[in-house]
Amino acid sequence: MSSEIDYSCTTYYCNAGWKELLSHLSPYSWANWGIAIGLGFSVVGAAWGIWLTGSSLVGAAIKAPRIRSKNLVSVIFCEATAIYGVILAIILLNKISEPKDKVYELSDEWDFATFYFAGYGVFWSGCSVGFTNIASGISVGIAGSSCALGDAQDDSLFVKILIVEIFASALGIFGIIVGIIQSNSAQFPDA
Amino acid sequence: LTASISNMSYGNADVTLGGMSTFNMQHGFVEALVRGYRSGFLKDTDYHHMTQCDALEDVKMNLQETDYDTFLNADSTVTPAIIEARALNKLVTEFFYFRANAVEPLGQFMDYITYEYMIDNVMLLLRGTLSGRNVNELMAQCHPLGMFKESTMRNIPTFEANPRGYADLYETVLVDTPVGPYFQTFLEQSSSSIGAASEVRHVLEEVQIEILKNSLMKLYLEDFYSFCEKLGGDTADVMCELLRARADRAAINITLNSFGTPLNDATMRETDRKRLYPSIGELYPAGTELLCKVDDDVKLGQAISSYPMYHAIFEKFLNSSPEEFSIDDEFYKREVRMYELAFEGQMHFGCIYAYVKLKEQEIRNLVWISECILQRRKDQITNYIPIFSSQAEWRAESTRRGVAH
């Protein structure tokens, strides 16, 4: 730290631009955002999917009551995407540990490298899961709706359309696998 | 057109339907309901059993095995008219069940479907007074999907069937009904010709009524078409195609029915008959221009020769006698094919419109079969049009040609 640094404001927002803003966001903030996004978007995707498939299921079951129990599998597939979000959120929040000394300014021996790595890792891992699960949830919802309608007319169609749904819910699994690997080596330092 | 928002709409009819990912949120239930009811159509085996019957009581028993169930239980004697009335009641009950569960803009869409029957009812009441029939008798014959308030309906026959009478009818009775805007536009369009018409050309009352009926239908089809276009998406694609086919059929039928009436005179063809052709459909504008100049069957065939679909139907019409061929049947077959295809593809309103139309065709089939049994015309009993049947002509055609569909 030399004495040539100019501490007066040179820009309107009193910072040196995006570089300073993004690097000065606390990694704790990044990490918790990641958990929120991961969980939140997963649940949005699951809810959207259940909304789409549930309405078709209820309507079609009026004239064909036999489809009621079988087609709940579509709703369960949607629910699974929400569960992926919860699993990942729990894994991620176990990586966030409080520092032992609650000080305002971190000491110079603080492990900044691990600190920042962990913050970014947890954030983007949450994003991976969140965005893939929203797509997976909607996709399973649409396929599930068609499955209910097809099954109501002809029961041999159920298993075949279910295979389409299985592929759709695989998208959510991709997300959680990558998310777990991304956040594997991320662990917040506490000393 | 002023007839864009009906007085029964509750909200903004410009709400888009949403594509695949949002349609089910509002309309998934009703669409699934309609598709469930699709399995209630009579199948080939049901029709086969009915054609083997010798008496209408047997038909009633056969229908008890189907979705129709006990719909005739209240009637001790069965006639084709009673079968038609009860089957129509079943359709109306189902339709109002769907309507009760519908959210905008599906609600307004379903209201549009009923306007056609309202127009039919208005025309029935007006025509009935020309022949001097009792208003109660006429009201019993009205189509249940297009009923107005009873006071409105009782008032309709009290007006005269001439342009002055129509204007009075509109101002006092029809202005509050959904078909009011169509009447208003019709009056505006014909006011320019009222003065000239009654002096120069002696237009019969019959022709006036025909013109009124066809004008109202034209305005209704155009209004419905623009509403579906505004809805956009798959609904616009499917519904606009169906409505274009109806408009073309209306144009050809107007021309055919006008042969032998004053509407076919050279003076009236270019002005009055031309005004009746809808401005939607494949035949507009080039085809309808040609149709204006046509005054007999052969020339009609030449005029539509560049439209392969209608040309094929018309060739058959020209080459066969009225006994064995009815042009209406050919149009119905084509429409049944299009309505069946409207059930393909999810997430659009076309299936609801197609359901109503196909049920109507089924009722016509039932009436045909019952009439044939009653009149002992067993040779003609198989001339009904199969619905959702793997033996339908058009399905057999495509497999014969080896075309993969």
Side-chain angles (χ1 to χ4, degrees):
Chain A
M1 307 277 194
S2 71
S3 54
E4 292 149 11
I5 293 176
D6 184 3
Y7 288 107
S8 62
C9 291
T10 50
T11 59
Y12 183 73
Y13 290 107
C14 229
N15 59 31
W18 282 107
K19 277 190 305 196
E20 180 180 342
L21 173 69
L22 288 176
S23 59
H24 282 217
L25 275 176
S26 161
Y28 291 118
S29 147
W30 283 117
N32 286 300
W33 269 110
I35 294 173
I37 288 175
L39 182 62
F41 278 108
S42 298
V43 170
V44 166
W48 196 330
I50 294 178
W51 198 357
L52 293 177
T53 189
S55 52
S56 283
L57 176 55
V58 170
I62 288 181
K63 268 300 207 184
R66 59 184 164 77
I67 69 168
R68 278 178 317 211
S69 346
K70 262 201 302 186
N71 279 277
L72 285 177
V73 159
S74 307
V75 178
I76 292 175
F77 272 125
C78 287
E79 183 70 22
T81 57
I83 292 178
Y84 300 153
V86 174
I87 290 175
L88 191 84
I90 293 176
I91 291 175
L92 292 181
L93 53 87
N94 281 329
K95 301 189 185 293
I96 304 179
S97 47
E98 277 185 74
K100 271 212 283 289
D101 311 315
K102 296 184 182 32
V103 293
Y104 184 63
E105 268 198 25
L106 298 168
S107 67
D108 285 340
E109 288 87 36
W110 184 259
D111 191 355
F112 283 100
T114 318
F115 193 36
Y116 275 91
F117 180 80
Y120 295 136
V122 170
F123 176 74
W124 288 107
S125 156
C127 281
S128 302
V129 171
F131 300 149
T132 52
N133 278 343
I134 220 189
S136 164
I138 298 176
S139 167
V140 172
I142 296 175
S145 143
S146 305
C147 186
L149 296 183
D151 190 18
Q153 298 291 325
D154 177 5
D155 7 7
S156 64
L157 288 178
F158 176 69
V159 178
K160 301 178 176 128
I161 304 183
L162 201 63
I163 296 181
V164 174
E165 271 188 70
I166 291 173
F167 278 110
S169 72
L171 301 174
I173 296 184
F174 299 157
I176 193 171
I177 290 175
V178 169
I180 289 178
I181 297 175
Q182 257 183 321
S183 59
N184 232 349
S185 40
Q187 183 64 47
F188 277 82
D190 49 2
Chain B
L1 275 176
T2 53
S4 49
I5 307 282
S6 85
N7 62 357
M8 287 198 261
S9 78
Y10 299 106
N12 183 7
D14 291 330
V15 173
T16 54
L17 298 184
M20 259 199 298
S21 49
T22 48
F23 180 88
N24 271 7
M25 293 178 178
Q26 303 284 1
H27 313 297
F29 179 71
V30 176
E31 191 195 352
L33 208 49
V34 172
R35 285 178 184 277
Y37 274 87
R38 178 199 189 280
S39 54
F41 278 102
L42 296 175
K43 306 195 191 354
D44 284 339
T45 48
D46 300 322
Y47 281 120
H48 181 70
H49 290 318
M50 281 198 293
T51 55
Q52 309 290 327
C53 291
D54 287 320
L56 292 180
E57 266 60 34
D58 297 333
V59 169
K60 172 176 168 179
M61 262 196 333
N62 275 316
L63 284 176
Q64 278 177 341
E65 316 281 319
T66 67
D67 194 58
Y68 278 91
D69 209 27
T70 52
F71 82 127
L72 281 176
N73 268 9
D75 305 288
S76 43
T77 53
V78 179
T79 68
I82 288 183
I83 290 182
E84 181 176 8
R86 299 276 173 266
L88 198 53
N89 258 344
K90 175 177 183 286
L91 167 61
V92 169
T93 315
E94 291 169 0
F95 183 83
F96 284 120
Y97 176 44
F98 303 152
R99 178 68 183 89
N101 284 301
V103 184
E104 295 301 315
L106 178 56
Q108 197 172 342
F109 181 86
M110 293 182 79
D111 290 339
Y112 265 100
I113 300 179
T114 61
Y115 296 165
E116 178 185 350
Y117 303 106
M118 285 184 186
I119 294 176
D120 283 342
N121 285 347
V122 170
M123 296 316 303
L124 176 75
L125 290 168
L126 280 177
R127 270 204 189 106
T129 46
L130 273 189
S131 13
R133 291 164 64 187
N134 183 1
V135 68
N136 288 321
E137 206 185 292
L138 290 172
M139 279 182 53
Q141 278 197 338
C142 278
H143 198 287
L145 271 180
M147 296 296 257
F148 300 104
K149 276 193 333 222
E150 182 159 335
S151 52
T152 313
M153 296 182 71
R154 285 192 180 279
N155 276 333
I156 291 177
T158 61
F159 291 89
E160 303 153 6
N162 57 45
R164 191 64 240 153
Y166 294 154
D168 290 336
L169 173 64
Y170 169 67
E171 277 157 29
T172 49
V173 173
L174 289 179
V175 65
D176 288 326
T177 63
V179 297
Y182 304 138
F183 241 83
Q184 183 186 18
T185 318
F186 168 72
L187 289 174
E188 281 166 18
Q189 285 174 354
S190 57
S191 64
S192 51
S193 61
I194 280 180
S198 24
E199 289 150 11
V200 177
R201 294 167 271 182
H202 288 285
V203 180
L204 296 175
E205 278 181 337
E206 295 297 324
V207 177
Q208 279 285 12
I209 291 250
E210 272 303 303
I211 291 181
L212 175 64
K213 159 99 196 263
N214 288 319
S215 303
L216 289 179
M217 279 307 289
K218 161 196 150 108
L219 292 169
Y220 159 72
L221 283 176
E222 288 170 357
D223 191 25
F224 198 4
Y225 188 87
S226 70
F227 175 72
C228 292
E229 262 189 328
K230 255 194 314 199
L231 288 176
D234 279 340
T235 300
D237 290 338
V238 172
M239 283 307 301
C240 288
E241 177 141 1
L242 296 177
L243 290 175
R244 279 199 293 268
R246 282 214 55 201
D248 290 337
R249 175 176 160 208
I252 293 179
N253 274 338
I254 288 172
T255 319
L256 264 184
N257 293 339
S258 73
F259 295 157
T261 70
L263 202 53
N264 202 19
D265 296 339
T267 46
M268 292 202 75
R269 281 203 305 257
E270 292 282 336
T271 52
D272 290 278
R273 197 169 85 188
K274 180 171 182 179
R275 263 205 291 266
L276 300 177
Y277 297 134
S279 62
I280 56 177
E282 276 181 57
L283 286 178
Y284 176 84
T288 51
E289 273 299 318
L290 295 173
L291 282 179
C292 284
K293 306 182 175 33
V294 157
D295 59 1
D296 68 21
D297 292 348
V298 178
K299 295 211 188 98
L300 180 58
Q302 286 168 351
I304 58 176
S305 56
S306 46
Y307 301 94
M309 203 98 59
Y310 308 119
H311 184 63
I313 294 178
F314 217 72
E315 281 295 303
K316 277 200 244 177
F317 173 66
L318 288 177
N319 296 338
S320 61
S321 66
E323 270 302 303
E324 53 188 55
F325 179 86
S326 148
I327 197 171
D328 279 335
D329 271 348
E330 282 302 310
F331 276 122
Y332 284 146
K333 278 189 201 151
R334 174 165 183 257
E335 291 194 339
V336 163
R337 171 184 183 169
M338 296 180 84
Y339 294 137
E340 287 184 26
L341 290 175
F343 271 89
E344 307 287 315
Q346 222 183 317
M347 326 274 187
H348 60 79
F349 290 160
C351 58
I352 295 152
Y353 182 74
Y355 177 81
V356 175
K357 295 295 170 188
L358 286 174
K359 267 297 189 194
E360 275 196 325
Q361 180 61 44
E362 184 175 90
I363 294 175
R364 281 196 286 265
N365 285 349
L366 278 179
V367 172
W368 175 262
I369 291 176
S370 315
E371 290 281 0
C372 284
I373 290 177
L374 203 61
Q375 296 172 12
R376 311 246 179 273
R377 303 286 312 266
K378 283 298 185 101
D379 50 328
Q380 296 208 344
I381 201 168
T382 50
N383 284 356
Y384 61 88
I385 297 171
I387 300 171
F388 290 127
S389 155
S390 47
Q391 268 106 43
E393 274 173 33
W394 63 274
R395 285 186 206 265
E397 254 174 42
S398 38
T399 47
R400 261 205 306 272
R401 272 185 279 146
V403 175
H405 272 261

